[in-house]
């Protein structure tokens, strides 16, 4: 087992004909993801990637024809909130949004609308999800992970690669790795993914990679203390970050004393989470 | 992106929120002239984007035009937290009956806008939260419906605004929400919102923060961006679409990805060194972008060692290596480099820089240790 994606996943790619979309679609196909279609308005009827993948004009037709249940979004920021709503409206149950730079105002509306629907949004500004060895919905390089029993959750992209790669080098495998996204407003927070891992029979331990900004890690700490039986190892990036400066990610900013690494580390530590001082320490904490 | 007080007040005026009479002055003579026009005591307020300008001497109450000129000359020459004061807002002094806090901000966890009010205005909301947490009231705004009259009224009741002023207060709250929406703001504060002795509401100070992701809709604001508080390297970095923040250490960092860039700074500190900057070259950076990033790092004269940490996914290690080699051929920096290239095309990347006699590393910990050791060696 694994969480969110597996061999039952029937994936469509929104923005499949774009530069990023087509490159990563090929990568996902090579990895073995069950990719059933792509969507680009105005290019319906074409077949892309050596004629292997049909393109539809809308998510609705793609779902009708292929029975897709999951979508990954690569469309540019200005059109991405519309793409999320289109997917939800067409009955997609898991939406993974890779796009970075969606205006906050639009995400507030999207979140409000999705609240009343049976749909999970991962991201935006997410590297996606990978369940080794056969399913990946995102841009995480496939060859840096191996199958195993450690669940990984992160707000970051390349830092996540760093961690799963360090695990692999130490002979530790991943059940599922989920990048929840680096924006201030995201669809799914640490807590929801932690609860998925708690209920997943393949996951024995969890690595949680947080960073400065917001209170998501503090909320997760309370949840871990009260609801989790599985051990959690944590790392928080941005321990030397200054106040009021956006550290690359839209969500990585300490504002009015809220969101410091110190507060997050203390909260997690009190919840019984072992904290790695830097990424290379994570494997030894998992083994120890 | 943050707006100045005077810019925020222009927004308030456009949205029918009353502000004190006044204008912007760039010279002491201007200040005198404006004070003459306003008849009576005026307040001089330094226009800098730093908090705590009052304590730093950036706000002065003066009684006459001559005094306005004299004090303006003092403030205009001054630096507040390292930022030179170039403009003053000269405003009529307001007689104050009560100071209120009124602001809109985003609750990241719930994913909604909050309207926040407190009867304890005039100090930072963080200060109010520390000193009087029980005196902060808030309501969540439905993003499809907007702020409702009854929500504003409920807040007015909570902070004990007299009944006959509810209508005025409601209008200001609703107009502030309209401004917040129109500008794609993530923060819109009136602090203090004062009730005058004549029982009128006036926005005495304001702070607006705009969502950087929505700036494509607000070119007029981008043109007004004040860069006087930013390091030259930061301004240069923005031109190339690089996220760069200058810090005070001596190890320059070039990393792909924001989280990894932060973790790289953290590990440098843990190993006993000091990062000179945060720099994220983003995903899939070209050799040109890498070269620009490296030039920016090297333009910081405090940098004595460079650590390059790339975990290739979309980013290709060979492309990064080309950028490094190109820059090193142009400039001979005469400082040590530690380079770690892992992931997509790492072997090709390593071959490209092989002949350059640069220190390399396989793990992040190893890279950080080497960079720290080099940074602690005395400069030849």
């Amino acid at each position: 087992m694994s969480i969110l994606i597996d061999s039952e996943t029937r994936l469509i790619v929104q923005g499949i004909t774009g530069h990023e979309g087509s490159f990563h679609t090929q990568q996902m196909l090579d990895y073995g993801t069950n990719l059933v279609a792509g969507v680009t308005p105005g290019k319906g009827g074409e077949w892309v990637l050596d004629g292997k993948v049909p393109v539809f004009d809308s998510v609705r037709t793609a779902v009708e024809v292929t029975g897709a249940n999951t979508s990954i979004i690569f469309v540019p920021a200005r059109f991405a909130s519309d793409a999320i709503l289109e997917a939800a409206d067409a009955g997609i149950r898991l939406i993974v949004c890779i796009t970075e730079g969606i205006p906050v105002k639009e995400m507030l509306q999207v979140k409000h609308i999705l609240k009343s629907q049976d749909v999970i949004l991962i991201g935006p500004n997410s590297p996606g999800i990978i369940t080794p060895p056969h399913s990946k919905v995102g841009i995480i390089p496939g060859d840096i992970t191996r199958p195993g029993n450690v669940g990984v959750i992160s707000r970051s992209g390349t830092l996540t690669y760093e961690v799963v790669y360090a695990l692999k080098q130490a002979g530790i495998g991943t059940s599922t790795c989920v990048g929840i996204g680096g924006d201030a407003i995201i669809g799914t927070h640490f807590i929801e993914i932690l609860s998925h891992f708690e209920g997943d029979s393949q996951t024995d331990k969890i690595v949680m990679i947080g960073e400065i900004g917001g209170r998501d890690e503090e909320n997760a700490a309370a949840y871990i203390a009260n609801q989790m039986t599985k051990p959690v190892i944590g790392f928080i990036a941005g321990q030397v970050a200054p106040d009021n400066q956006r550290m690359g990610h839209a969500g990585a900013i300490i504002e009015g004393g809220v969101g410091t690494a110190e507060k997050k580390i203390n909260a997690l530590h009190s919840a019984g989470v072992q904290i790695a001082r830097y990424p290379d320490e994570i494997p030894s904490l998992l083994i120890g | 992106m943050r707006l100045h007080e005077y810019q925020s007040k222009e927004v308030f005026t456009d949205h029918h929120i009353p502000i004190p009479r006044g204008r912007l002055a760039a010279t002491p003579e201007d200040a005198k002239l404006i004070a003459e026009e306003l008849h009576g005591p005026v307040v001089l307020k330094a226009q800098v984007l730093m908090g705590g300008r009052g304590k730093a001497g950036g706000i002065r109450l003066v009684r006459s035009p001559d005094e306005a000129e004299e004090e303006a000359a003092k403030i205009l020459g001054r630096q507040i937290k390292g930022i030179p004061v170039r403009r003053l807002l000269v405003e009529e002094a307001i007689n104050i009956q009560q100071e209120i806090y009124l602001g809109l901000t985003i609750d990241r966890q719930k994913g909604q806008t909050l309207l926040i009010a407190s009867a304890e205005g005039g100090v930072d909301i963080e200060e109010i939260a520390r000193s009087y947490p029980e005196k902060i009231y808030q309501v969540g705004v439905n993003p499809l419906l907007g702020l409702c009259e009854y929500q504003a009224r409920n807040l007015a009741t909570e902070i004990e605004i007299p009944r006959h002023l509810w209508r005025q207060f409601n209008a200001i709250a609703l107009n502030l929400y309209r401004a917040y929406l129109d500008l794609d703001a993530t923060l819109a504060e009136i602090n203090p919102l004062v009730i005058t002795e004549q029982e009128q509401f006036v926005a005495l100070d304001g702070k607006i923060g705009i969502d950087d992701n929505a700036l494509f809709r607000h070119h007029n604001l981008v043109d007004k961006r004040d860069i006087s508080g930013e390091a030259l390297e930061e301004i240069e970095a923005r031109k190339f679409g690089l996220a760069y923040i200058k810090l005070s250490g001596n190890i320059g960092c070039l990393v792909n990805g924001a989280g990894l860039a932060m973790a790289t700074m953290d590990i440098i500190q843990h190993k006993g060194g000091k990062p000179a900057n945060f720099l994220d070259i983003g995903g899939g950076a070209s050799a040109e972008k890498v070269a620009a990033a490296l030039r920016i790092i090297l333009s910081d004269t405090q940098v004595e060692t460079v650590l390059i940490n790339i975990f290739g996914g979309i980013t290709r290690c060979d492309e990064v290596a080309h950028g490094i080699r190109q820059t090193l051929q142009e400039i001979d920096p005469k400082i040590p480099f530690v380079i770690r290239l892992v992931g997509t095309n790492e072997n090709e990347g390593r071959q490209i820089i092989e002949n350059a006699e640069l220190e390399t590393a396989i793990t992040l910990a190893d890279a950080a240790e080497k960079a720290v050791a080099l940074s602690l060696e005395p400069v030849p």
Side-chain angles (χ1 to χ4, degrees):
Chain A
M1 247 182 66
S2 56
I3 69 165
L4 300 173
I5 59 168
D6 54 28
S7 51
E8 302 296 306
T9 296
R10 296 179 66 76
L11 180 69
I12 58 164
V13 179
Q14 288 176 261
I16 192 166
T17 52
H19 181 68
E20 299 258 306
S22 64
F23 175 77
H24 289 290
T25 303
Q26 184 65 55
Q27 301 278 312
M28 289 187 282
L29 273 176
D30 293 346
Y31 196 70
T33 307
N34 186 13
L35 201 144
V36 295
V39 173
T40 297
K43 300 209 169 157
E46 292 181 17
W47 288 76
V48 294
L49 299 168
D50 304 325
K52 286 196 288 264
V53 183
V55 180
F56 294 89
D57 281 323
S58 71
V59 179
R60 186 198 294 193
T61 26
V63 169
E64 275 170 13
V65 176
T66 66
N69 56 16
T70 302
S71 175
I72 184 164
I73 294 177
F74 286 103
V75 308
R78 290 180 199 200
F79 314 108
S81 62
D82 189 65
I84 296 171
L85 294 175
E86 182 185 357
D89 197 33
I92 294 287
R93 297 283 70 102
L94 173 65
I95 303 168
V96 178
C97 186
I98 305 299
T99 308
E100 178 174 6
I102 304 178
V104 169
K105 189 163 77 183
E106 294 173 28
M107 276 312 299
L108 294 179
Q109 295 175 336
V110 166
K111 262 199 90 113
H112 187 82
I113 293 167
L114 295 194
K115 222 185 283 177
S116 57
Q117 300 186 22
D118 178 26
V119 56
I120 297 171
L121 169 67
I122 302 289
N125 194 6
S126 155
I129 308 169
I130 188 164
T131 294
H134 295 309
S135 192
K136 122 165 157 163
V137 176
I139 62 176
I140 301 171
D143 56 357
I144 60 169
T145 66
R146 53 176 281 174
N149 63 350
V150 175
V152 179
I153 325 169
S154 173
R155 282 170 65 189
S156 176
T158 49
L159 177 56
T160 316
Y161 309 168
E162 179 78 48
V163 171
V164 292
Y165 184 64
L167 296 185
K168 185 184 175 186
Q169 300 289 92
I172 303 168
T174 305
S175 55
T176 299
C177 172
V178 184
I180 58 175
D183 276 2
I185 306 296
I186 51 175
T188 304
H189 296 268
F190 281 125
I191 290 179
E192 289 103 312
I193 305 297
L194 284 168
S195 83
H196 280 289
F197 278 134
E198 177 71 11
D200 175 37
S201 61
Q202 197 197 315
T203 303
D204 294 332
K205 292 180 180 181
I206 295 137
V207 173
M208 184 183 138
I209 306 157
E211 63 187 35
I212 55 160
R215 298 178 199 267
D216 213 9
E217 291 81 359
E218 286 90 331
N219 294 337
Y223 180 82
I224 292 165
N226 299 322
Q227 312 278 337
M228 300 274 297
T229 60
K230 297 179 181 176
V232 181
I233 312 290
F235 172 73
I236 304 294
Q239 296 159 49
V240 297
D243 284 7
N244 288 316
Q245 296 267 29
R246 213 178 78 148
M247 305 301 279
H249 288 155
I253 179 166
I254 300 166
E255 290 167 301
V258 173
T260 64
E262 194 188 352
K263 282 185 184 155
K264 292 170 187 297
I265 289 169
N266 289 342
L268 288 166
H269 191 72
S270 312
V273 174
Q274 279 190 282
I275 301 288
R277 289 172 302 169
Y278 39 88
D280 303 59
E281 272 191 347
I282 294 173
S284 58
L285 290 176
L286 280 168
I287 295 164
Chain B
M1 175 183 160
R2 281 266 310 273
L3 298 189
H4 276 294
E5 177 193 5
Y6 77 90
Q7 294 168 322
S8 301
K9 283 181 168 167
E10 285 169 13
V11 173
F12 293 162
T13 302
D14 290 345
H15 289 81
H16 313 290
I17 297 170
I19 60 164
R21 291 181 301 136
R23 276 196 295 125
L24 211 52
T27 65
E29 296 73 38
D30 282 352
K32 183 181 180 182
L33 200 71
I34 299 167
E36 278 167 0
E37 285 167 20
L38 292 171
H39 297 292
V42 296
V43 183
L44 310 176
K45 304 175 88 177
Q47 298 298 292
V48 285
L49 290 174
M50 303 290 131
R53 64 183 171 162
K55 283 182 196 141
I59 301 180
R60 281 275 181 280
L61 173 68
V62 295
R63 302 281 162 196
S64 69
D66 286 335
E67 201 189 343
E69 184 175 18
E70 203 175 298
E71 287 297 318
K74 288 183 198 162
I75 306 176
L76 282 166
R78 186 187 294 252
Q79 292 204 345
I80 294 180
K81 294 186 182 167
I83 312 300
V85 179
R86 293 190 307 196
R87 280 170 298 198
L88 295 173
L89 189 55
V90 184
E91 284 184 336
E92 60 175 334
I94 299 284
N95 55 66
I96 297 166
Q97 191 190 119
Q98 196 191 342
E99 292 186 304
I100 293 164
Y101 173 91
L102 185 68
L104 288 154
T105 184
I106 287 171
D107 178 338
R108 291 170 53 152
Q109 216 55 38
K110 290 192 183 142
Q112 68 176 0
T113 297
L114 297 177
L115 177 67
I116 303 173
S118 174
E120 304 291 332
V123 287
D124 281 354
I125 187 68
E126 293 87 25
E127 181 58 42
I128 305 172
R130 264 193 299 275
S131 310
Y132 315 96
E134 74 288 355
K135 290 190 180 173
I136 291 182
Y137 297 92
Q138 56 191 46
V139 292
V141 182
N142 180 316
L144 305 179
L145 206 55
L147 182 68
C148 298
E149 289 257 2
Y150 79 88
Q151 293 183 303
R153 202 162 51 236
N154 283 355
L155 276 190
T157 320
E158 301 277 21
I159 64 170
E160 296 177 4
I161 286 174
R163 211 175 268 170
H164 66 280
L165 295 177
W166 284 0
R167 212 188 184 60
Q168 261 195 69
F169 177 82
N170 265 13
I172 286 172
L174 291 166
N175 287 333
L176 184 64
Y177 184 70
R178 175 52 56 194
Y180 168 90
L181 276 191
D182 287 351
L183 272 86
D184 272 291
T186 51
L187 174 77
E189 262 185 7
I190 306 176
N191 186 25
L193 172 62
V194 303
I195 303 175
T196 65
E197 283 167 4
Q198 293 76 35
E199 305 225 293
Q200 296 298 312
F201 280 91
V202 177
L204 216 54
D205 198 353
K207 201 186 275 183
I208 294 179
I210 313 284
D211 176 11
D212 287 338
N213 286 349
L215 285 178
F216 68 89
R217 288 198 275 253
H218 303 282
H219 293 294
N220 55 330
L221 292 175
V222 177
D223 296 340
K224 288 187 199 160
R225 187 193 281 268
D226 178 8
I227 51 175
S228 60
E230 297 178 18
L232 280 175
E233 293 92 343
E234 291 175 7
I235 298 163
E236 186 68 10
R238 195 160 49 230
K239 282 187 207 157
F240 290 94
L242 298 160
Y244 173 97
I245 291 161
K246 186 167 158 52
L247 302 169
S248 57
N250 63 351
I251 302 179
C253 306
L254 187 155
V255 189
N256 64 322
L260 190 58
M262 282 189 270
T264 305
M265 289 163 26
D266 293 345
I267 195 168
I268 286 172
Q269 176 130 321
H270 279 298
K271 299 289 181 189
K274 288 201 173 74
N277 63 277
F278 166 93
L279 196 159
D280 169 16
I281 59 168
S286 63
E288 288 69 35
K289 199 167 177 178
V290 172
L294 198 49
R295 278 198 303 272
I296 289 164
I297 290 175
L298 294 172
S299 69
D300 176 355
T301 50
Q302 287 184 53
V303 170
E304 290 170 345
T305 302
V306 175
L307 171 56
I308 295 176
N309 181 23
I310 301 296
F311 201 110
I314 315 180
T315 307
R316 284 168 29 208
C317 292
D318 54 334
E319 191 73 21
V320 174
H322 276 301
I324 298 169
R325 203 175 61 177
Q326 186 188 320
T327 314
L328 294 183
Q329 280 164 357
E330 284 166 21
I331 337 170
D332 178 12
K334 297 191 172 60
I335 55 170
F337 275 57
V338 178
I339 302 182
R340 175 184 183 238
L341 302 174
V342 183
T344 311
N345 295 356
E346 60 181 50
N347 292 328
E348 292 87 336
R350 285 184 199 140
Q351 272 167 18
I352 292 163
I353 52 166
E354 208 165 44
N355 309 326
E357 290 176 13
L358 301 164
E359 188 81 63
T360 57
I362 301 295
T363 67
L364 175 54
D366 182 33
E369 274 162 23
K370 282 178 174 163
V372 171
L374 289 165
S375 78
L376 296 175
E377 279 175 15
V379 181

